Amino acid sequence: MKSRQILVFLGIVVANLLLAIGLPLVTPSPVLAQSNANILVSAAASLKEALSEIKPLYQQSKPNVNITYNFGASGALQQQIEQGAPADVFISAAKKQVDALEQKGLLVAGTRTNLANNRLVLIVPKNVVGVSSFYNLTDAKIKKIAIGEPRSVPAGQYGEQVLKKLGIFNKVKSKLVLANNVRQVLAVVESGNADAGLVYATDAKISDKVKVVVAADDKYHSPIVYPVAVIKRSKNVAAAKEFVQFLSGSQAKAVLKKSGFIVAK
């Protein structure tokens, strides 16, 4: 026999012997796939649709990264993080909440960036007529005005600023219905349980049950900006950083722009 045939013959004999005595054949182990990473993103409620659309786009290039969202009022999310609740990434609808976390040393240095901007708008149920400006909120026929709780909901903070700048806050204060987040404001106006409400332009865009009366002039409120940063307690800092970088890329920006957000070119 040629040497190669001898080796093949011996290999068959050895394999049969192993099988005969009940030992499994040992084959080379394939290279282990990259271990999965889990990222929990705590984000302002107004980002729900946009981030949900961004998730599968990101996972096309990062199939081993599982993203879970925790949507809510920015102030409430800030408090959760301060109290030790798990979070890898935080996206607020205002600077205030991210500033607070940064001052307490809870952010990974160098990861903070501004994701997008928004506009504050006055909305009414679709069938309401006769409301054309913020000043109409003082009319007797407007009995309930939905607004986010200013202490925890950025949209409520901006709304309060606008009403004060226009000099009508004290006149409408008794009409205010406070909601836990901006999406609750939208829902209350959609249902007709409020005659008007203050939400972001992106919130009004997703509803066919309300109409926009007017957008607040930017000079009447603080800049509506969405800062994003990685949380220092994250167990997946590298993966969280990559996701934040993706949010600043062209694919994510296209989704945000389509959703009505204002993004830098």
Side-chain angles (χ1 to χ4, degrees), residues 12-222:
I12 293 171
V13 172
V14 171
N16 286 331
L17 285 173
L18 288 173
L19 288 172
I21 61 176
L23 293 176
L25 293 174
V26 178
T27 56
S29 299
V31 177
L32 291 175
Q34 182 183 354
S35 59
N36 291 344
N38 296 307
I39 300 176
L40 177 58
V41 180
S42 287
S46 50
L47 286 164
K48 184 175 181 179
E49 284 73 23
L51 286 181
S52 296
E53 189 172 341
I54 286 171
K55 178 178 176 177
L57 295 177
Y58 183 69
Q59 291 182 319
Q60 285 176 7
S61 59
K62 299 287 183 180
N64 294 314
V65 178
N66 179 50
I67 300 170
T68 302
Y69 292 125
N70 174 30
F71 294 108
S74 299
L77 297 175
Q78 170 208 337
Q79 290 182 356
Q80 290 174 15
I81 293 170
E82 288 179 345
Q83 293 167 6
D88 299 290
V89 176
F90 178 43
I91 313 175
S92 175
K95 290 171 73 276
K96 177 183 176 182
Q97 289 75 24
V98 181
D99 286 344
L101 296 183
E102 190 167 34
Q103 290 166 6
K104 294 181 179 180
L106 297 178
L107 305 182
V108 175
T111 62
R112 179 175 178 172
T113 186
N114 289 337
L115 184 63
N117 294 82
N118 214 334
R119 299 292 302 275
L120 188 74
V121 297
L122 172 63
I123 60 170
V124 295
K126 198 98 174 187
N127 61 347
V128 169
V129 295
V131 179
S132 59
S133 77
F134 280 98
Y135 293 107
N136 288 128
L137 296 178
T138 63
D139 295 349
K141 68 178 181 179
I142 302 295
K143 302 185 183 304
K144 291 183 179 180
I145 305 165
I147 185 174
E149 163 57 69
R151 291 175 296 180
S152 59
V153 183
Q157 296 164 11
Y158 300 130
E160 186 177 84
Q161 290 172 2
V162 171
L163 297 175
K164 287 181 176 179
K165 282 284 187 179
L166 294 174
I168 61 174
F169 180 75
N170 289 333
K171 295 178 182 178
V172 302
K173 188 176 180 180
S174 61
K175 301 181 180 183
L176 298 182
V177 177
L178 304 183
N180 291 330
N181 60 63
V182 71
R183 287 302 168 84
Q184 284 189 8
V185 175
L186 179 64
V188 170
V189 179
E190 283 181 328
S191 66
N193 289 321
D195 304 299
L198 295 175
V199 299
Y200 297 122
T202 51
D203 300 307
K205 187 179 176 72
I206 67 170
S207 176
D208 60 0
K209 297 178 181 178
V210 302
K211 60 183 177 182
V212 174
V213 173
V214 64
D217 193 311
D218 292 344
K219 67 184 179 183
Y220 293 139
H221 58 74
S222 303

Side-chain angles (χ1 to χ4, degrees), residues 71 145 234 246 253:
F71 294 108
I145 305 165
S234 168
F246 182 82
K253 282 185 176 181

